[in-house]
Amino acid sequence: MAVCTVYTIPTTTHLGGSFNQNKQVFFNYKRSSSFPSSNNILTSVSRPYVITCSAGESQTIVIGLAADSGCGKSTFMRRLTSVFGGAAEPPKGGNPDSNTLISDTTTVICLDDFHSLDRTGRKEKGVTALDPRANDFDLMYEQVKALKEGKPVDKPIYNHVSGLLDPPELIQPPKILVIEGLHPMYDARVRELLDFSIYLDISNEVKFAWKIQRDMKERGHSLESIKASIEARKPDFDAYIDPQKQYADVVIEVLPTQLIPDDDEGKVLRVKMIQKEGVKYFNPVYLFDEGSTISWIPCGRKLTCSYPGIKFSYGPDTFYDNEVTVVEMDGQFDRLDELIYVESHLSNLSTKFYGEVTQQMLKHQDFPGSNNGTGFFQTIIGLKIRDLFEQIVANRSAAPAAAAKA
């Protein structure tokens, strides 16, 4: 069903031009002979109307995911797109170095593509990719806005292999657009376009370990260059990236464990899912009793736990002066098939059937973080985004019917 707006007009009014081709008209009417056929002018018994309609189901919903480089955005995107079905792949027949991933329902674009300076240009000007001066926020806003409105765009490509800006690629508006990168919530104009936002907040200790693993294995960087990059980026990260988490609807915070005293290996993680209260179409997940403060050690007959075990916590808190609900997991799972025991004690998961979180975790058990809170909470947020999408679509589809009854 389309979403329609009805305007009554005087019979003498003439409207020049025609509606955008993305508009659709649904109405039982006879056309007035006093108006040209190119105009969407509809008449009832006594008065003419102009009705503008847009397909509510197809209007793009925009999700923002912010994090520093090497903090798990790519893994999160794979989990998210899997929830909606279909494999996420680069545009067929396009640039093999494209950063875009397209599936049946989602399109993921990397905001690195909006760098205004290539690698050489940043070096010459003495700025990092985190610096707003190295990014084209005007173009970012214009293209995200266009896609949200159902219009295709020729999006630039930043080539991570060569460090150059490649020729643009055509992006068609999807049902769900995910913009992921360093700055999805930095520019207020872009921030206003987001229907939901997530920030991955990785502690310095964990970030260093992850970045070494990714950049050495996948991108061929040396340990020395990784260390130098982290140190060079830190001032800009603190100034331009980290403050964005205050705007996020959900923050997934990854910290060293508290279960092992003086742990310096970083293999066991403590992960918090910080959920903002009062977000439209989003009901925070809770453990046992909503609004209570709870500490739970589930290890025992129903959940196998090796050293140092697992501990869950839940309760209300404040985050940047916002009321939030926090679910925390410290430790890691030994057997993912037993995860359903934990899942059964959580509420507001937005699952479609009992055990869906566990099923998704088992489906991607080879993904990084599948044995700890990073993968667990990313999977849950993926299901919550699916629910948010379905609520928005249902609400838009119901609007014309409600208007007709009024």
Side-chain angles (χ1 to χ4, degrees):
M1 182 181 293
V3 177
C4 304
T5 304
V6 182
Y7 302 92
T8 59
I9 60 173
T11 55
T12 55
T13 297
H14 176 77
L15 300 180
S18 60
F19 286 105
N20 184 288
Q21 62 182 0
N22 291 329
K23 303 294 184 182
Q24 299 178 356
V25 176
F26 298 92
F27 197 77
N28 293 323
Y29 68 96
K30 65 177 183 178
R31 186 175 301 278
S32 170
S33 59
S34 60
F35 294 94
S37 61
S38 62
N39 293 320
N40 291 309
I41 305 297
L42 313 179
T43 60
S44 64
V45 175
S46 59
R47 300 187 66 188
Y49 299 85
V50 173
I51 302 184
T52 66
C53 307
S54 61
E57 302 90 341
S58 61
Q59 187 171 351
T60 297
I61 290 168
V62 184
I63 309 297
L65 174 65
D68 195 6
S69 176
C71 288
K73 295 189 297 294
S74 298
T75 301
F76 193 179
M77 288 303 95
R78 287 190 289 168
R79 292 189 190 277
L80 175 60
T81 55
S82 174
V83 167
F84 289 94
E89 300 175 342
K92 293 181 180 180
N95 188 329
D97 294 320
S98 171
N99 303 306
T100 303
L101 293 174
I102 298 174
S103 68
D104 296 342
T105 305
T106 63
T107 293
V108 180
I109 62 174
C110 175
L111 295 185
D112 288 357
D113 289 336
F114 294 97
H115 288 338
S116 56
L117 299 173
D118 61 17
R119 192 175 297 156
T120 300
R122 295 196 300 271
K123 186 175 181 180
E124 290 174 348
K125 292 186 177 295
V127 298
T128 71
L130 292 77
D131 193 311
R133 293 173 294 175
N135 298 274
D136 189 341
F137 288 101
D138 289 338
L139 182 61
M140 184 190 300
Y141 166 70
E142 290 167 5
Q143 295 206 342
V144 173
K145 183 174 183 290
L147 288 169
K148 188 177 180 73
E149 294 173 347
K151 304 170 186 175
V153 300
D154 286 313
K155 181 188 63 60
I157 299 173
Y158 177 76
N159 192 315
H160 285 102
V161 178
S162 67
L164 300 174
L165 298 171
D166 286 353
E169 61 185 353
L170 178 64
I171 302 296
Q172 297 289 347
K175 293 181 179 178
I176 300 174
L177 173 67
V178 182
I179 59 171
E180 61 91 0
L182 298 169
H183 303 97
M185 291 171 269
Y186 178 81
D187 187 289
R189 298 170 300 172
V190 178
R191 197 163 63 237
E192 286 297 314
L193 297 174
L194 301 178
D195 294 287
F196 195 77
S197 55
I198 309 105
Y199 185 93
L200 302 183
D201 189 14
I202 317 299
S203 69
N204 291 331
E205 301 92 331
V206 176
K207 185 189 299 183
F208 182 67
W210 285 7
K211 194 167 177 64
I212 286 177
Q213 181 180 4
R214 188 202 66 173
D215 286 1
M216 289 185 70
K217 182 178 180 180
E218 299 180 12
R219 298 183 178 176
H221 298 178
S222 67
L223 180 62
E224 292 72 21
S225 67
I226 294 171
K227 289 180 177 178
S229 173
I230 290 174
E231 289 303 315
R233 292 165 65 92
K234 192 174 186 311
D236 282 353
F237 172 80
D238 292 341
Y240 308 121
I241 312 304
D242 193 58
Q244 293 178 73
K245 62 189 177 187
Q246 66 185 296
Y247 304 115
D249 298 314
V250 170
V251 175
I252 297 179
E253 184 177 14
V254 183
L255 304 157
T257 182
Q258 291 183 333
L259 299 177
I260 303 174
D262 303 318
D263 176 63
D264 57 2
E265 293 187 8
K267 294 181 179 180
V268 180
L269 301 176
R270 178 167 63 102
V271 185
K272 294 182 177 183
M273 181 168 61
I274 304 170
Q275 308 162 89
K276 187 181 292 183
E277 295 279 359
V279 177
K280 193 174 184 180
Y281 304 118
F282 179 81
N283 294 316
V285 175
Y286 65 90
L287 178 65
F288 290 117
D289 182 40
E290 188 172 15
S292 298
T293 299
I294 293 169
S295 179
W296 179 44
I297 298 176
C299 301
R301 295 180 181 179
K302 296 183 179 180
L303 189 69
T304 303
C305 299
S306 58
Y307 178 82
I310 297 176
K311 180 180 179 180
F312 280 87
S313 301
Y314 161 74
D317 205 345
T318 57
F319 187 77
Y320 285 93
D321 296 325
N322 294 307
E323 297 296 321
V324 297
T325 292
V326 181
V327 180
E328 176 182 319
M329 174 186 166
D330 195 348
Q332 56 191 28
F333 303 109
D334 285 353
R335 295 181 52 181
L336 287 182
D337 60 324
E338 296 177 343
L339 179 58
I340 196 167
Y341 173 62
V342 174
E343 180 181 349
S344 66
H345 289 81
L346 292 165
S347 298
N348 281 348
L349 290 173
S350 299
T351 53
K352 292 187 178 296
F353 55 86
Y354 179 73
E356 187 177 11
V357 174
T358 302
Q359 182 192 75
Q360 285 288 327
M361 291 286 286
L362 286 167
K363 183 179 178 181
H364 302 300
Q365 57 188 299
D366 59 328
F367 284 11
S370 291
N371 67 338
N372 60 47
T374 58
F376 186 45
F377 291 149
Q378 286 177 7
T379 299
I380 290 173
I381 294 304
L383 295 173
K384 299 294 288 183
I385 289 174
R386 181 186 65 187
D387 180 61
L388 177 137
F389 166 73
E390 291 175 350
Q391 288 188 66
I392 292 175
V393 169
N395 185 64
R396 289 174 178 171
S397 297
K405 293 178 180 179

